[in-house]
Amino acid sequence: MPANRNLSDDDDAVRRRPGRPAGDDGGGDVRERLLDTATRLAIERGFDAAGIREIAERAGVSSGMIAYYFGGRRGLQEAMFDRALDRLRARVAEAVTRVGSPGDPIEALMRLHASALTADPWIPQLLAREVLPREGSLRDRFQQHAGEVLDLIRRAVEEAIERGVLRSDLDPAMCVLTLGSLSAFPFLIAPVLGDRLEIALDEGFGERLLAHNLELIGRGLRAREEDLR
Amino acid sequence: MPANRNLSDDDDAVRRRPGRPAGDDGGGDVRERLLDTATRLAIERGFDAAGIREIAERAGVSSGMIAYYFGGRRGLQEAMFDRALDRLRARVAEAVTRVGSPGDPIEALMRLHASALTADPWIPQLLAREVLPREGSLRDRFQQHAGEVLDLIRRAVEEAIERGVLRSDLDPAMCVLTLGSLSAFPFLIAPVLGDRLEIALDEGFGERLLAHNLELIGRGLRAREEDLR
DNA sequence: TGTACATCAGTGAACGCGCGTTCACTGATGTAC
DNA sequence: TGTACATCAGTGAACGCGCGTTCACTGATGTAC
């Protein structure tokens, strides 16, 4: 271990050397690594809080790669957001085909919601952080994606009303809003007020929330005569 | 109108001249104007999106005033947030004393929620924007404020269960979460998806939401035998 | 009741830092001959 | 089957812009004598 070899010897083992890399690239595609890192950071602290140098360093990549693959910081943000929405849509689409026609459409819908959000609890967080604060391309993208899902829910609610499963004296639009509120808001507020509300985003939470919401939708919260035996 | 007086003549009419201003200051306190402007900008586009020069210019004040009165940009943000929370707390406290004991505690609670949010529909927006994305002083402040309100709701729910007004087979913590979801989430999502949901934050919205939520809590959404005449 | 001076609210240009972008450069791989 | 060169993924320092902060300065008001 000669003392005169201390210059950039350790660095070469960690940092990628310039030039086209050898084919046996260990950590997967650079583009994909950047998207993963950006998503993780956006969930942790919001995309705005992360600079390109931090994103690149965490991805084990040079900062120039962001402009190289995405045209710039903004492009990376949009690509990350699109990928997240696509995954969400794919999961919803898959769940919809699985649900089929037998059984209660409303219960199926709530189960769908719950399973999608339990699998990726960060989705509401990401949407709240990136969509609520700004107008512009991200909001437009979200509105398009969400529109399709909303139409789906809307149809399920209207069908349920026609079939006599849901009350016909209530506004369908309000029912859609209610179903969304009950499913999404808990995942938003849990990281902030979870301790005080005595709830935690553990693996059982989705099930408990689903059961509670189905009870609420089914019978309401109020005590009834038939409950008092 | 001599041509040689064109220099800074118009400016003097608009811009404040340096030095201690005369007592008959038209637009109110500089400190208060900065807080108002910061609040408005935080609601419109989020506090992070506004630079101190823009805030100062909109307030009709020099940018140095932010450091002068608040120690810096961060101090202005915290002061603005504190003032918003204080106003919210004051409104809640006033409503609580008005509610009193007679009547249904749950309905009173929901009315309180609805009136507070209808009076200031921007409150959920502001909280979502400034609290959800970051950990730190703003979140701590919010947790303290919200904790008191939550304890209030918690006690009302438990009292309602004891008095037989609410079902005793449900988790009180989940009921609190539900009540919050139904009241707060619609105000969050309306600016983004209001068009698609066919809802609008007009003056009648709070009433409609309240009525719908009370129906939901009272009887649920499902059709029952007694509904089918 | 003047007068000299301290105080105080407020200005706005200068400064330095951190950010995203740009670009000259590197070297492994593919390809034409 | 070598060989010369184009291509292509990737590097990282340099650049300039915009931001928050700092501070020398201004002039009206309050105050002591």
Side-chain angles (χ1 to χ4, degrees):
Chain A
M1 198 186 278
N4 56 353
R5 287 188 64 237
N6 60 350
L7 235 171
S8 76
D9 205 8
D10 286 350
D11 273 4
D12 277 351
V14 174
R15 291 201 173 279
R16 182 188 298 264
R17 287 156 58 224
R20 183 165 184 166
D24 57 348
D25 197 71
D29 196 20
V30 167
R31 210 188 116 92
E32 218 60 24
R33 285 221 297 276
L34 278 173
L35 284 173
D36 291 342
T37 307
T39 304
R40 203 172 335 118
L41 278 169
I43 295 162
E44 282 176 26
R45 299 187 281 114
F47 189 84
D48 287 351
I52 61 155
R53 267 168 267 259
E54 181 183 4
I55 299 173
E57 193 185 3
R58 281 229 220 175
V61 150
S62 79
S63 62
M65 285 297 92
I66 289 171
Y68 187 74
Y69 279 111
F70 303 100
R73 207 189 101 100
R74 181 88 206 186
L76 171 60
Q77 183 182 26
E78 294 180 350
M80 171 212 76
F81 196 71
D82 279 348
R83 197 180 66 157
L85 286 182
D86 273 336
R87 289 186 177 179
L88 176 61
R89 177 155 57 183
R91 184 168 295 116
V92 168
E94 184 207 334
V96 165
T97 61
R98 257 211 326 265
V99 162
S101 45
D104 185 337
I106 296 303
E107 180 169 344
L109 204 59
M110 294 297 281
R111 281 197 188 283
L112 189 159
H113 250 134
S115 69
L117 295 185
T118 306
D120 289 322
W122 47 268
I123 286 180
Q125 290 278 342
L126 183 68
L127 296 180
R129 271 215 264 262
E130 310 299 329
V131 173
L132 287 182
R134 75 194 103 232
E135 308 189 344
S137 60
L138 292 191
R139 179 172 287 196
D140 295 344
R141 282 169 157 80
F142 173 68
Q143 283 172 337
Q144 278 211 335
H145 279 254
E148 302 174 21
V149 178
L150 277 182
D151 289 345
L152 200 80
I153 301 177
R154 184 65 185 263
R155 276 200 298 276
V157 166
E158 284 168 351
E159 186 194 325
I161 292 176
E162 280 170 22
R163 283 170 51 187
V165 179
L166 287 188
R167 294 166 58 180
S168 57
D169 58 333
L170 295 179
D171 181 359
M174 279 295 188
C175 291
V176 172
L177 185 62
T178 290
L179 297 179
S181 300
L182 292 174
S183 296
F185 189 75
F187 289 89
L188 274 183
I189 202 70
V192 180
L193 290 179
D195 291 347
R196 283 211 113 100
L197 286 168
E198 297 173 26
I199 60 172
L201 278 184
D202 51 26
E203 60 282 10
F205 178 69
E207 276 301 316
R208 270 180 291 140
L209 180 65
L210 177 62
H212 182 266
N213 283 346
L214 288 175
E215 277 295 310
L216 166 62
I217 291 170
R219 299 199 298 156
L221 296 182
R222 290 193 188 282
R224 292 170 154 268
E225 294 74 19
E226 65 229 49
D227 294 328
L228 307 170
R229 50 199 63 171
Chain B
M1 195 185 283
N4 57 354
R5 288 188 64 238
N6 60 350
L7 234 170
S8 76
D9 205 10
D10 287 349
D11 274 2
D12 276 351
V14 173
R15 292 203 172 277
R16 182 189 299 263
R17 286 155 59 226
R20 182 164 183 165
D24 57 349
D25 196 72
D29 196 21
V30 167
R31 211 188 114 92
E32 218 59 25
R33 284 221 299 275
L34 278 172
L35 285 172
D36 291 342
T37 308
T39 305
R40 203 173 333 119
L41 278 169
I43 295 162
E44 282 177 26
R45 298 188 280 116
F47 189 84
D48 286 351
I52 60 155
R53 265 168 268 259
E54 181 183 5
I55 299 173
E57 193 186 2
R58 281 229 222 177
V61 150
S62 79
S63 62
M65 284 299 92
I66 288 171
Y68 187 75
Y69 279 111
F70 303 100
R73 207 189 100 101
R74 180 87 205 186
L76 171 59
Q77 184 182 26
E78 293 180 351
M80 170 211 76
F81 196 70
D82 279 348
R83 196 181 65 157
L85 286 182
D86 274 336
R87 290 186 177 178
L88 176 59
R89 176 155 57 182
R91 185 168 293 115
V92 169
E94 184 207 333
V96 165
T97 60
R98 255 210 329 261
V99 161
S101 47
D104 184 338
I106 296 302
E107 180 168 345
L109 204 60
M110 293 299 279
R111 281 196 188 284
L112 188 159
H113 250 135
S115 70
L117 295 185
T118 307
D120 289 322
W122 49 267
I123 285 180
Q125 290 279 339
L126 184 67
L127 297 181
R129 272 215 264 262
E130 309 299 329
V131 172
L132 288 180
R134 76 194 103 232
E135 307 190 345
S137 60
L138 292 191
R139 179 173 288 196
D140 295 343
R141 283 171 156 80
F142 173 67
Q143 282 172 338
Q144 279 211 335
H145 279 255
E148 303 174 21
V149 178
L150 277 182
D151 289 344
L152 201 80
I153 301 178
R154 184 65 185 262
R155 277 200 297 275
V157 167
E158 284 168 352
E159 186 195 325
I161 290 176
E162 281 169 23
R163 282 170 50 187
V165 178
L166 287 189
R167 295 166 57 180
S168 58
D169 59 333
L170 295 180
D171 181 359
M174 279 295 188
C175 290
V176 173
L177 186 61
T178 291
L179 297 179
S181 301
L182 293 174
S183 295
F185 189 76
F187 289 90
L188 273 184
I189 203 68
V192 180
L193 290 179
D195 291 347
R196 283 211 112 101
L197 287 168
E198 296 174 25
I199 60 172
L201 278 184
D202 51 28
E203 62 281 11
F205 178 69
E207 275 301 316
R208 270 181 291 140
L209 180 64
L210 177 62
H212 182 265
N213 284 345
L214 287 175
E215 277 294 311
L216 166 62
I217 291 169
R219 299 199 296 155
L221 295 182
R222 290 193 188 282
R224 293 171 153 268
E225 294 73 20
E226 67 228 49
D227 294 329
L228 307 169
R229 50 200 65 169

